[in-house]
């Protein structure tokens, strides 16, 4: 048995035969004869690729929905890009062979994307690579797409979104690629399609064709030629996972309550509109955390008020009246957005200008976001939540900006709706001052990811200090208890929206504290609902 480690990109496990994708040319169909110039050859390939992308968009629309299908529209735009195809055309005009011209233009653009500072933009280099490859394939007479004849784990150096979407879903057991990151579109599409995937194994998979393997999308491993014991173990895991899915499916549409008879809502953590569609599929009872920083990341300037309004309005619409808690921009630290946070590196970014601190430094950002949110609240059930609050003075300033947003909407004659404004409790200072903060806000939401890192002074990304947070330290428990006790006295609700909210081992503790909302990754919703329904406890607050 050989164990190949990669990056987990889409969860779940499967056992099956590997089908390694090889891309060989069919010289008979090479796009060469009958063309007067290399530029003409290139234009013909671009035209053919453009028509392919139209068909792919239609196919993706049916399989994964509009938001994910948009990648093919973006690819189409790339086919018109001056720096890419325009540059290739300039080179073929000088007589360079179309394939070489494309490679040269693509390489320049790929280098530019790789130099960008967000992981998302860096991953776009793979899109350029995929388009260039497809154009070269057309020039070389290769057909696009991969044909599967039996259920297979598809292995490739990399898969373009086009190849991924064209695969027969009934025959794809999983994906494993030599390159790619969890932010690559193939990984995103795999998650949307619910197919296990491992990316970036950093070794050739050519020798694995036809071999039996286990693909573990949770741990990011490919186990080639598994021995009997390992196969047995995974057969059992797969059977258990199926049983669990069937059991949890029975909880769809059910509601959970605490021992005082109050409703306990299991809501979703999302990062964009696609995620909301996914959350609805998992039977969420609203969204407890919409991380809006992702809306600011895939671009060179902040989204306008109008763009944000459309997104928040559409989010609320998808949730059919259930509450959508939108967190205001949490940029900084590991979520750098260079056009806002600048390139100058802070010595301690997690302790620097992050989240609300950035928004108070650049208040127009928060004002625009509040205006969009208040407008969306006129037509949907929207609440706002402020990240990284440390002191009451920050809440006062945020409230002033919120009031300014309402007043300016009045002046502009734009409709706005009443909206709850809550804060995240994710610094020890906020937990300690919870009694002072509670009267100033409509709700608390405990961000355990940061609350833990700041309480035990251990970087949440650094595995070497993870021992300080597992098992959950008493210091963090006390912060959570202080927060819940202050909230109960003031009569405001508490949600837990960090990763710990999905940990069934902590459900009882949260219910004892009086937490009435848990916001978790969509696939965890039913499991957490099960834990809430099964918990036996008595309330502290
Ligand atoms: C948290 O800190 O627990 C949280 C939910 O916020 P984020 O993970 O986005 O920092
Ligand atoms: Mg946080």
């Amino acid at each position: 048995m050989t164990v190949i480690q990669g990056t987990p990109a889409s969860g779940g496990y499967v056992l099956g035969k590997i089908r390694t994708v090889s891309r060989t040319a069919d010289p008979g169909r090479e796009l060469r004869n009958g063309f007067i110039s290399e530029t003409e050859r290139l234009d013909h390939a671009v035209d053919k690729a453009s028509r392919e992308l139209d068909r792919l968009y239609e196919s993706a629309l049916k399989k994964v929905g509009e938001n994910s299908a948009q990648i093919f529209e973006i690819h189409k735009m790339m086919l018109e890009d001056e720096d890419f195809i325009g540059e290739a055309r300039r080179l073929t005009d000088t007589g360079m062979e179309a394939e070489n011209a494309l490679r040269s233009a693509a390489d320049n653009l790929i280098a530019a994307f790789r130099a960008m500072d967000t992981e998302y933009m860096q991953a776009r280099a793979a899109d350029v690579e995929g388009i260039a490859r497809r154009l070269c394939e057309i020039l070389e007479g290769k057909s696009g797409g991969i044909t599967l004849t039996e259920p297979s784990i598809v292995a490739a150096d990399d898969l373009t979104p086009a190849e991924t979407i064209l695969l027969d879903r009934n025959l794809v057991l999983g994906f494993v690629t030599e390159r790619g990151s969890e932010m690559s579109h193939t990984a995103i599409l795999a998650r949307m399609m619910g197919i296990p995937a491992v990316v970036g194994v950093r070794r050739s998979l050519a020798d694995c064709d036809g071999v039996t393997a286990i693909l573990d999308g949770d741990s990011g491993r490919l186990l080639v030629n598994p021995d009997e014991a390992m196969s047995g173990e995974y057969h059992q895991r797969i059977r258990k996972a199926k049983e669990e899915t069937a059991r949890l499916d029975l909880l769809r549409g059910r509601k959970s309550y605490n021992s005082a008879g109050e409703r306990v809502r299991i809501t979703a953590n999302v990062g964009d509109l696609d995620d909301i569609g996914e959350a609805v599929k998992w039977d969420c009872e609203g969204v407890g955390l919409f991380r809006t920083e992702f809306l600011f990341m895939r671009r060179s300037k902040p989204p306008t008020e109008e763009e944000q309004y459309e997104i928040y309005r559409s989010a609320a619409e998808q949730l059919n009246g259930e509450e959508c808690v939108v967190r205001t921009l949490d940029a900084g630290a590991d979520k750098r957005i260079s056009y806002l946070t600048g390139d100058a590196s802070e010595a301690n970014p997690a302790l620097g200008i992050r989240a609300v601190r950035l928004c108070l430094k650049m208040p127009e950002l928060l004002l625009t976001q509040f205006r969009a949110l208040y407008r969306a609240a006129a037509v949907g059930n929207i609440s706002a939540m402020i990240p990284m609050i440390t002191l009451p003075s920050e809440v006062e300033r945020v409230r002033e900006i919120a009031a300014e947003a309402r007043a300016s909407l009045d002046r502009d004659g734009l409709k706005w709706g009443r909206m709850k404004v809550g804060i995240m409790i994710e610094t020890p200072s906020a937990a300690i001052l919870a009694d002072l903060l509670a009267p100033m806000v409509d709700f608390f939401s405990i961000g355990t990811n940061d609350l833990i890192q700041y309480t035990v002074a251990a970087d949440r990304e650094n595995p070497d200090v993870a021992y300080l947070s597992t098992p959950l330290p008493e210091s963090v428990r006390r912060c959570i208890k202080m927060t819940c006790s202050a909230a109960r006295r003031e009569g405001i609700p508490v949600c837990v929206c960090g990763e710990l909210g999905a940990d069934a081992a902590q459900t009882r503790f949260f219910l004892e504290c009086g937490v009435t909302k848990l916001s978790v990754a969509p696939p965890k919703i039913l499991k957490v609902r099960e834990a809430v329904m099964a918990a036996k406890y008595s309330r502290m607050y």
Side-chain angles (χ1 to χ4, degrees):
M1 179 173 79
T2 313
V3 180
I4 300 175
Q5 184 68 52
T7 305
S10 177
Y13 10 79
V14 283
L15 198 150
K17 276 225 172 88
I18 297 181
R19 160 92 158 78
T20 303
V21 175
S22 63
R23 298 179 169 91
T24 48
D26 173 0
R29 292 170 52 211
E30 196 174 355
L31 194 59
R32 186 165 295 283
N33 298 334
F35 290 102
I36 302 160
S37 68
E38 285 299 313
T39 302
E40 204 183 329
R41 258 182 97 223
L42 173 70
D43 284 346
H44 188 83
V46 170
D47 191 47
K48 189 163 180 211
S50 170
R51 277 181 277 121
E52 272 183 16
L53 285 168
D54 286 338
R55 286 196 298 275
L56 283 165
Y57 177 80
E58 291 305 321
S59 165
L61 206 58
K62 289 188 205 116
K63 290 186 184 174
V64 289
E66 191 177 348
N67 283 312
S68 294
Q70 273 173 6
I71 179 63
F72 298 111
E73 291 206 313
I74 295 169
H75 282 192
K76 226 181 132 169
M77 276 157 61
M78 283 182 172
L79 283 180
E80 288 152 22
D81 191 300
E82 256 307 291
D83 293 334
F84 181 19
I85 303 302
E87 172 62 13
R89 205 171 278 127
R90 276 189 286 280
L91 293 170
T92 51
D93 280 347
T94 67
M96 190 186 273
E97 201 177 43
E99 286 89 335
N100 290 339
L102 271 169
R103 265 278 43 102
S104 165
D107 286 348
N108 286 339
L109 205 56
I110 287 168
F113 273 121
R114 292 217 171 113
M116 292 190 181
D117 61 355
T118 68
E119 205 189 329
Y120 183 84
M121 291 311 287
Q122 286 162 7
R124 301 290 61 81
D127 290 338
V128 179
E129 175 67 48
I131 295 169
R133 188 163 69 207
R134 181 64 200 129
L135 285 167
C136 287
E137 281 173 353
I138 294 174
L139 289 164
E140 287 162 14
K142 288 188 221 168
S143 58
I146 299 153
T147 316
L148 296 177
T149 51
E150 58 177 338
S152 316
I153 297 170
V154 177
D157 50 354
D158 205 353
L159 287 167
T160 63
E163 287 169 330
T164 313
I165 207 78
L166 281 176
L167 283 165
D168 182 345
R169 220 158 140 167
N170 297 318
L171 296 179
V172 181
L173 298 174
F175 299 115
V176 52
T177 61
E178 293 166 24
R179 296 198 297 270
S181 75
E182 58 171 325
M183 293 296 278
S184 64
H185 272 292
T186 302
I188 294 169
L189 288 172
R191 288 195 286 275
M192 292 301 292
M193 297 197 284
I195 294 172
V198 173
V199 295
V201 296
R202 293 164 194 271
R203 57 97 90 190
S204 167
L205 296 164
D207 57 336
C208 297
D209 194 36
V211 175
T212 300
I214 294 165
L215 182 74
D216 184 337
D218 291 354
S219 67
R221 289 186 310 167
L222 180 72
L223 310 166
V224 182
N225 278 324
D227 53 34
E228 237 174 75
M230 191 57 86
S231 299
E233 189 192 315
Y234 270 90
H235 269 305
Q236 255 197 4
R237 283 207 211 179
I238 291 166
R239 186 176 50 75
K240 274 199 183 143
K242 278 193 184 142
E243 280 169 12
E244 184 180 277
T245 308
R247 196 181 71 235
L248 294 178
D249 267 346
L250 298 174
L251 300 181
R252 288 178 181 277
R254 301 271 304 272
K255 297 179 175 61
S256 45
Y257 298 86
N258 65 16
S259 57
E262 293 165 326
R263 174 105 176 253
V264 178
R265 285 175 192 273
I266 320 299
T267 61
N269 290 352
V270 300
D272 59 23
L273 291 176
D274 270 347
D275 289 352
I276 296 186
E278 189 66 4
V280 169
K281 277 197 222 141
W282 285 103
D283 201 30
C284 70
E285 300 166 66
V287 160
L289 167 62
F290 185 161
R291 290 180 162 103
T292 58
E293 47 278 11
F294 296 111
L295 309 177
F296 288 68
M297 271 179 192
R298 304 165 191 183
R299 45 198 304 139
S300 53
K301 56 181 190 323
T304 61
E305 175 183 321
E306 214 49 43
E307 284 171 317
Q308 291 191 55
Y309 165 70
E310 274 308 318
I311 290 168
Y312 306 146
R313 189 197 53 74
S314 158
E317 196 174 270
Q318 285 193 53
L319 289 169
N320 283 322
E322 294 281 13
E323 186 185 22
C324 182
V325 178
V326 180
R327 179 172 75 182
T328 56
L329 181 65
D330 183 10
D334 57 327
K335 290 178 279 197
R336 293 182 63 76
I337 300 176
S338 61
Y339 65 85
L340 293 177
T341 49
D343 287 328
S345 50
E346 296 170 287
N348 285 308
L351 304 180
I353 301 296
R354 179 189 165 185
V356 73
R357 302 170 183 188
L358 179 76
C359 287
L360 294 182
K361 206 171 156 226
M362 302 171 81
E364 65 284 359
L365 274 178
L366 194 56
L367 186 70
T368 306
Q369 195 162 20
F370 265 136
R371 277 177 58 107
L373 286 168
Y374 274 114
R375 285 176 60 196
V379 289
N381 189 354
I382 296 274
S383 300
M385 175 160 83
I386 318 297
M388 266 291 273
I389 289 291
T390 313
L391 297 174
S393 55
E394 290 170 321
V395 181
E396 269 162 27
R397 185 68 194 113
V398 166
R399 290 179 71 99
E400 279 166 18
I401 295 171
E404 221 173 299
R406 294 191 300 267
S408 65
L409 288 171
D410 279 340
R411 278 198 302 279
D412 297 344
L414 289 167
K415 261 178 87 172
W416 57 270
R418 287 171 66 82
M419 176 175 78
K420 291 189 183 122
V421 178
I423 57 170
M424 290 195 67
I425 302 289
E426 51 183 347
T427 65
S429 172
I432 294 164
L433 301 179
D435 58 330
L436 302 181
L437 293 167
M440 306 174 81
V441 298
D442 295 312
F443 61 88
F444 282 159
S445 190
I446 304 178
T448 50
N449 308 336
D450 279 314
L451 182 61
I452 294 171
Q453 94 160 335
Y454 293 128
T455 304
V456 296
D459 183 347
R460 62 195 257 188
E461 309 277 330
N462 184 346
D464 292 339
V465 288
Y467 73 95
L468 288 161
S469 38
T470 338
L472 186 64
E474 180 57 22
S475 49
V476 177
R477 283 179 183 274
R478 289 188 192 184
C479 284
I480 294 173
K481 286 185 197 169
M482 272 191 279
T483 304
C484 291
S485 143
R488 179 61 56 176
R489 265 180 277 131
E490 191 58 37
I492 61 167
V494 181
C495 168
V496 174
C497 67
E499 293 301 303
L500 207 66
D503 182 350
Q506 303 299 336
T507 306
R508 190 179 146 185
F509 169 62
F510 292 139
L511 293 171
E512 280 172 351
C513 289
V515 166
T516 51
K517 194 196 273 185
L518 293 161
S519 197
V520 301
K524 306 263 176 73
I525 289 172
L526 295 170
K527 195 125 202 243
V528 174
R529 185 175 294 158
E530 183 181 55
V532 170
M533 285 173 150
K536 303 263 176 297
Y537 61 94
S538 48
R539 281 264 291 275
M540 284 187 255
Y541 311 113

